[in-house]
Each structure stands twice: as structure tokens, then as C-alpha cells.
Amino acid sequence: MIPIIRSSSSLAKVLVLPFVVLIIALSLLIGFLSYFAGRQAVISVAEQMLNQTADRVALTVQRHIDGASEVLESAFPHDLPAAMDLNTDLDAIRSRFWSATSMHPDLSNYVFYGNRHGDFVGLFRHGRDDGELRVKLATHNYRSAYRIESIRGPLGMAKNDEADFDPRVRPWYIAGVSVDHEAWSDIYINYWDKDLVATRSRRVYATNGEFDGVVAVDVSLKALNDFVGGLHVSPRGIAFIMEANGNLIASSDGSSTHVDQAGQLGRLRAADSDNPIVRSTYARLQKQLAEEEVMGGTRRTFTFRGPEDEMVYAAYSWVRDSAGLSWITVVAVPRGDFLDTLDRNVRWTVVIVVVTVVLALLLGLSVVRWVVRDVRRLSRAAAQIGRGHMNVGLKIERRDEIGQLARSFMQMQSELNTDKLTGVTSRAALLRYLDAAVNKRGRRSDELFSQFTVMFIDLNRFKAINDTLGHEYGDLTLIEVGQRLRSIVREDDVVARFGGDEFVLVFWGIATREFADKVRKKIDEVLAPPLQCLQEVDGAQAMTVGASLGVAFYPRDGKDVETLIKLADQGMYEDKAAGRTGERR
């Protein structure tokens, strides 16, 4: 390898040797620092991730419970007094309850109201077009249920409860009566689907301002459990929501209820969870909350020794509202879930560094030579263009900066050589080609540049098209004329737009009057048909353009570019003047 480097160019040595030395130095530095930097990164990332996750869960819970207040307001607005007789207001209550349960059907699908006389009315939504109106009058001990299919649909057959029902002894009614603002009842297990439910209630007043009853809404907590269960915190990480007393509301491992020895379904406390991380996190959280209450701290992340003496990172966030709700969202992740990934990344980094050093030593010179080769090609192409070569081919198929430079180089050459409107050769490129020809530059100068014909063309009737139809159709006319002129020249010949409606044709290797006459006839023939670009314009389908021509021959008429162009231009004006009384005007 050393002899190869010694025999290489100075550019190769400058590029390869520092690169190899740098990789070796970086491999040692990375190996030394990666582990220590990784530990600090774990702490920082863990705290940020845990805080964000806990806040995300808390925000979801907040949106969940805030909807209950909206449902209550829709069901029974604050400034709406209770009716003297429930029977007379039943249709209005039913309509409001149907609208209220339509707001958050997956969360709050049961709204109900009970008054101080013992009357009760509730609406439970089974689906979009399926509801159940439950009514109990003070004169009856039982509650009746009627199936309905729309907000004002007919009531189905009544189905009476077998058990006595009095709304005034229900927990939601007692919770609503006990305070003068909205209140939450204790969380309980729904009888029908065995899911956790919380009820939000508030007082309703009569027209005289006295207390008359309580309106309430059930909030299903199943959606919260589904949301938390769908979180992927880490392979062994856990997220859960609990009440301040330690009862679980939702958990990412799916456990928030349990069956006791008697076969009864009940609430599960975090301290009794089957998940050891939940138990240890709850135990440490109690100390954290006690310290927060005593010392007034605001730090919401903490670490502790969890199961098997492994360090656990945890974060919590409070969810509180004006109705007395006080829940805590908690996220906990064992440290190993972070360090395993870090250690794996460090090992792979070391392997990659070693392989990279070897590849740099083996392939460095070949890569440099490959780069230098294409740089040299770019340099030669630039020199050729500078000497006036007409078409410099440069095929460099690369996707790096050199390839981009080559593409930019070719695009620049194309833009310099091409008229932006018509796509034919530009005026600047035409003058450069003619200068190269008269000064005998280029690989084929003997064959092409010994003699050639310059033909100057000015379009007839173009001004009428431009003034009558507008510049848009004037531009389309110039594009079509350029295409037609290109169809009558050879591959090496030049069709250039000199300016406005003026074109210049250059025919290499031939300079005779007979040839110029033949070309004139071809130009008249190719421009004679109606313009295709005007076929859809009313009254312009038959419009055509003609051409006034002037010719100059090299070297007979001139040996410099200015003279040739000037003579051809003069010939064009003479031709135009001769035809002004006829069709060329």
C-alpha cells in the first residue's frame, strides 16, 4: 500500500493520507467517548420522552373529560329552568338529550335527569339511529324504557324494570346535590359491558331559583384504556392512569379491574397490580408526591431501583378540573430498554469504523483517481468551449457533486447554445460558431469551415399575427417556424434565432448560388402551409407566414463574422423591398 501511495499524484496523497489518519483517530475517539456520551444522552432523552408521553396521555384524558361538560350544557343549559311538570317537558328534554349524546357518542352516550320529586328521564344511545328513552314518574316505583330510532321518532313498546328505582338515592344525584357546581361521582364498573364509567353531574334549578334536580352524563373510560393500551413506550415500559387514591383507571398492560376470590369483578389498585413495574412505580410515586407536597417541588420525573434492582425512569402528570377530578398519568421505563439500544449502537459503530478504515486503505486511491479523471474531463470540456467548439460532449454519470457540476456544465452549455423560446440555436451560440469557423478552430475545421453559406431570414406577415392575435400566438408562430426550418437542414447545419422574427441558417461545407436557390425554394415550400398553432383560432385557420431571404458566402463574400452577417442582412432587406407589392408584405 505504501509504494502505491508513493507513486500516486500529489492530489491523491493530499486526499487519501489525511482521510485515513482522520478515520483512525476518530475510531479511537468514538470508542472512548461514545459510552460516556451515550449515558448522558440516555438520561436527557429518557426525561424528555417520559415527560412528553405523560403529558400526551394527560392531554388525551383532559379532552376526554372536557367533553362531558359540553354534553351537560347541551342537555340542560345553565340558564334553562326545570319544568314544573316533567310530562309537559318530556319531548323537549328528549330532543336536547338526543342532540347531547350525538356530540361524543363514543365517550358520553348516556344523559339523564332526576328531580327532587323522584321523576327521572334518561336517553341511552346504542348507535347513530338507535336509542332508548328511560322514564320514571314519581307516582311509579319502576322505570320504563322505550326504544327510539331518531330524535323525534315514535316510542317503541314500553319495557318496565322489575326493581324499584329512585333517582334521589343514586350516587350521581347525591354528588350533584352536595355541591353548587359540576361534580364527578366515584368511578364504578358498568353493569352491562363491565367497563369503567365515571359520571359528571350538576344541579338544575326551577324558575323560582330553588333547587329542582340533577342532570348527569356517563363517561365511558374504555376509550382511555384503549388509548393507553395502544402506546408502545418501550419493550418493558408501562403507562397507566390512576386516581389519587391508587385505583387504576387504565393501563398499557390492560389491567384496571380484577376478579376476587368470590368471583366478583372489582377495581384494581396499582399497589396490587400483577405488573412489578406498576407496583414499584406506584410505591415510589407515593414518596415523590409526599415530597412534592412538603417541599413544593415541580420536578415531574424521578428514578428509582425497580424489580431486580434495575434503575427505572418515570414521569407523571396531574389531570384536574373544576368538578373535583384528580387523576394522575404515569409512564415508567426500565433503564435497560435504553442502554440495550445504546450498547448495540456502540458495538456496531466500532465494527463500522474498523471496516471503514480497511476500505479507506484499499479503495482510497482508486476513488481519488476516479474523481481526478472526471475533473480532468470537465477541465478539457471547458477549454474546448472557450476555444469556440460548437458541441462538446461530456458524459459523466455520477450522483455526487462532480456529477452535479457536470450536469450544470452541460445545462449551461445548452442554455448558452439554445434560444429559450424556440429551442433552436441562440444568437450568442451562432456568433461563437461562426467565429470558430472563420478562425479555423475545431476538430473538423478543414472539412466544415473551409466554406459555408449564411442565410438571413425575416418573416413576412408575422407582425399582423402578433398585432391581431397577441404575443401568445406570435410566440407559438415563432416556435413552429423554428421547427419547420430545422426540418430542411442537415444534422451539422445551424438554425438560429437572431432576434424577434429573424432567423439565420448556416450550411457548412458548401457555398454556391445554386445551393442557395434550392434552399430558398425549400424554405418557401416549408412555410407555405397554414400554421398549425392557429388552427383552433377563429378566422386564423388559413394564416401563413412567408420569408424574405438574404445570402452571404464564406470566404467569397467575407472572411469575418460581422461582414457575413451584414451582407446577408442587406440581402434580406433587398428581398423584402422587392416583394412588398406582393405576398411578402
Side-chain angles (χ1 to χ4, degrees):
M1 181 62 64
I2 297 300
I4 295 176
I5 295 177
R6 287 178 179 174
S7 63
S8 302
S9 66
S10 59
L11 181 59
K13 294 176 181 178
V14 169
L15 292 178
V16 174
L17 290 179
F19 181 65
V20 171
V21 172
L22 179 61
I23 290 179
I24 295 174
L26 285 177
S27 65
L28 297 176
L29 185 61
I30 291 173
F32 180 77
L33 295 178
S34 59
Y35 184 73
F36 296 99
R39 282 181 175 272
Q40 186 61 36
V42 165
I43 296 174
S44 177
V45 171
E47 290 184 349
Q48 292 181 20
M49 186 275 290
L50 292 173
N51 273 325
Q52 291 174 1
T53 305
D55 289 342
R56 177 188 173 193
V57 176
L59 182 61
T60 301
V61 174
Q62 195 69 53
R63 288 200 301 263
H64 197 89
I65 62 177
D66 285 346
S69 181
E70 298 173 1
V71 172
L72 281 182
E73 181 64 19
S74 177
F76 229 118
H78 276 82
D79 56 355
L80 180 67
M84 297 285 294
D85 183 1
L86 186 64
N87 277 324
T88 60
D89 200 37
L90 187 59
D91 288 339
I93 293 177
R94 169 187 165 182
S95 298
R96 294 199 307 271
F97 283 13
W98 184 278
S99 299
T101 52
S102 299
M103 297 176 65
H104 306 285
D106 296 332
L107 309 178
S108 306
N109 63 344
Y110 187 26
V111 181
F112 40 93
Y113 167 72
N115 62 20
R116 59 190 178 88
H117 305 293
D119 296 321
F120 172 87
V121 58
L123 182 65
F124 184 88
R125 293 289 290 277
H126 297 280
R128 181 177 180 274
D129 298 317
D130 186 8
E132 185 176 286
L133 185 66
R134 300 169 181 174
V135 180
K136 188 265 182 185
L137 300 179
T139 55
H140 301 150
N141 292 329
Y142 57 87
R143 183 173 56 176
S144 301
Y146 306 87
R147 209 59 176 256
I148 56 177
E149 296 181 352
S150 65
I151 189 170
R152 294 184 179 84
L155 300 180
M157 183 71 68
K159 182 179 179 181
N160 300 328
D161 290 344
E162 296 180 358
D164 292 345
F165 178 80
D166 188 344
R168 294 168 295 186
V169 300
R170 305 299 294 174
W172 55 268
Y173 189 94
I174 297 173
V177 171
S178 61
V179 293
D180 59 356
H181 55 75
E182 293 185 8
W184 288 97
S185 69
D186 292 336
I187 296 175
Y188 62 95
I189 300 175
N190 191 303
Y191 175 79
W192 293 278
D193 49 25
K194 310 304 180 185
D195 290 326
L196 296 181
V197 175
T199 303
R200 185 168 181 143
S201 59
R202 66 169 171 82
R203 291 183 176 186
V204 175
Y205 296 91
T207 54
N208 58 6
E210 295 182 357
F211 168 77
D212 192 78
V214 173
V215 62
V217 56
D218 277 352
V219 179
S220 172
L221 303 182
K222 181 179 182 301
L224 287 181
N225 199 68
D226 293 342
F227 168 73
V228 176
L231 290 175
H232 180 69
V233 181
S234 73
R236 294 178 295 158
I238 191 76
F240 59 93
I241 307 171
M242 69 177 192
E243 296 181 89
N245 61 11
N247 286 336
L248 285 174
I249 298 172
S251 176
S252 59
D253 67 357
S255 58
S256 55
T257 59
H258 75 107
V259 179
D260 59 21
Q261 295 180 349
Q264 297 296 320
L265 187 65
R267 299 287 306 280
L268 178 65
R269 290 181 55 81
D272 301 326
S273 173
D274 294 334
N275 191 312
I277 296 181
V278 173
R279 294 197 304 270
S280 59
T281 302
Y282 173 71
R284 181 62 184 85
L285 180 60
Q286 298 309 300
K287 298 179 181 179
Q288 185 74 16
L289 295 177
E291 293 174 1
E292 177 183 319
E293 184 176 355
V294 173
M295 303 179 64
T298 59
R299 184 175 177 83
R300 297 187 293 114
T301 59
F302 57 94
T303 58
F304 62 94
R305 294 287 176 181
E308 301 180 359
D309 202 35
E310 182 179 15
M311 188 67 70
V312 177
Y313 292 90
Y316 69 96
S317 182
W318 283 98
V319 180
R320 294 180 170 123
D321 71 354
S322 59
L325 184 126
S326 182
W327 295 351
I328 308 174
T329 63
V330 187
V331 181
V333 177
R335 189 175 186 178
D337 285 5
F338 295 103
L339 289 181
D340 285 347
T341 302
L342 176 65
D343 292 341
R344 190 181 308 112
N345 289 339
V346 170
R347 290 192 294 270
W348 275 109
T349 300
V350 172
V351 172
I352 291 172
V353 168
V354 173
V355 172
T356 303
V357 171
V358 174
L359 290 177
L361 293 173
L362 294 177
L363 302 177
L365 286 177
S366 60
V367 170
V368 169
R369 288 173 179 171
W370 177 56
V371 171
V372 171
R373 179 193 63 192
D374 289 333
V375 170
R376 288 172 179 170
R377 293 173 62 187
L378 275 169
S379 178
R380 287 194 298 267
Q384 290 176 342
I385 291 178
R387 291 194 298 268
H389 288 197
M390 290 179 289
N391 292 302
V392 178
L394 185 63
K395 294 183 179 179
I396 298 179
E397 301 294 337
R398 297 172 60 149
R399 296 185 179 181
D400 56 7
E401 287 78 1
I402 295 178
Q404 183 178 355
L405 178 60
R407 289 189 292 272
S408 299
F409 181 86
M410 296 306 296
Q411 182 179 357
M412 178 187 67
Q413 180 185 354
S414 175
E415 290 178 353
L416 290 175
N417 292 348
T418 305
D419 180 68
K420 293 183 179 180
L421 175 62
T422 61
V424 300
T425 302
S426 66
R427 174 174 177 161
L430 169 70
L431 297 177
R432 189 169 62 251
Y433 295 163
L434 291 175
D435 182 70
V438 299
N439 290 286
K440 299 298 185 289
R441 296 196 301 263
R443 295 180 180 178
R444 304 172 62 186
S445 59
D446 293 340
E447 178 183 349
L448 292 178
F449 297 164
S450 60
Q451 59 179 354
F452 55 85
T453 300
V454 177
M455 187 169 289
F456 203 103
I457 300 175
D458 184 80
L459 300 182
N460 298 325
R461 297 185 296 280
F462 175 76
K463 187 176 184 301
I465 295 175
N466 215 29
D467 294 344
T468 304
L469 303 180
H471 293 291
E472 177 183 358
Y473 288 101
D475 290 346
L476 294 176
T477 298
L478 292 175
I479 295 171
E480 184 173 342
V481 168
Q483 293 173 347
R484 293 190 184 188
L485 292 177
R486 290 176 68 174
S487 68
I488 66 172
V489 302
R490 298 168 300 178
E491 182 178 356
D492 287 334
D493 294 334
V494 178
V495 176
R497 183 185 177 206
F498 200 73
D501 60 341
E502 296 174 339
F503 291 83
V504 173
L505 307 185
V506 180
F507 298 91
W508 304 112
I510 187 169
T512 65
R513 179 62 62 181
E514 293 78 12
F515 174 76
D517 291 339
K518 292 180 181 179
V519 172
R520 180 189 294 272
K521 291 180 180 179
K522 287 186 178 181
I523 293 175
D524 289 339
E525 292 174 358
V526 79
L527 296 182
L531 291 164
Q532 293 297 317
C533 62
L534 305 182
Q535 293 305 302
E536 296 183 0
V537 181
D538 292 339
Q541 291 85 350
M543 294 187 74
T544 63
V545 292
S548 297
L549 307 176
V551 181
F553 301 105
Y554 174 85
R556 186 178 66 190
D557 294 334
K559 295 185 178 182
D560 61 86
V561 177
E562 292 184 2
T563 301
L564 292 172
I565 293 294
K566 182 177 180 180
L567 288 175
D569 187 31
Q570 289 178 355
M572 178 273 296
Y573 275 108
E574 292 173 359
D575 187 46
K576 182 178 286 288
R580 281 181 178 169
T581 58
E583 63 177 8
R584 289 182 180 166
R585 184 171 182 177

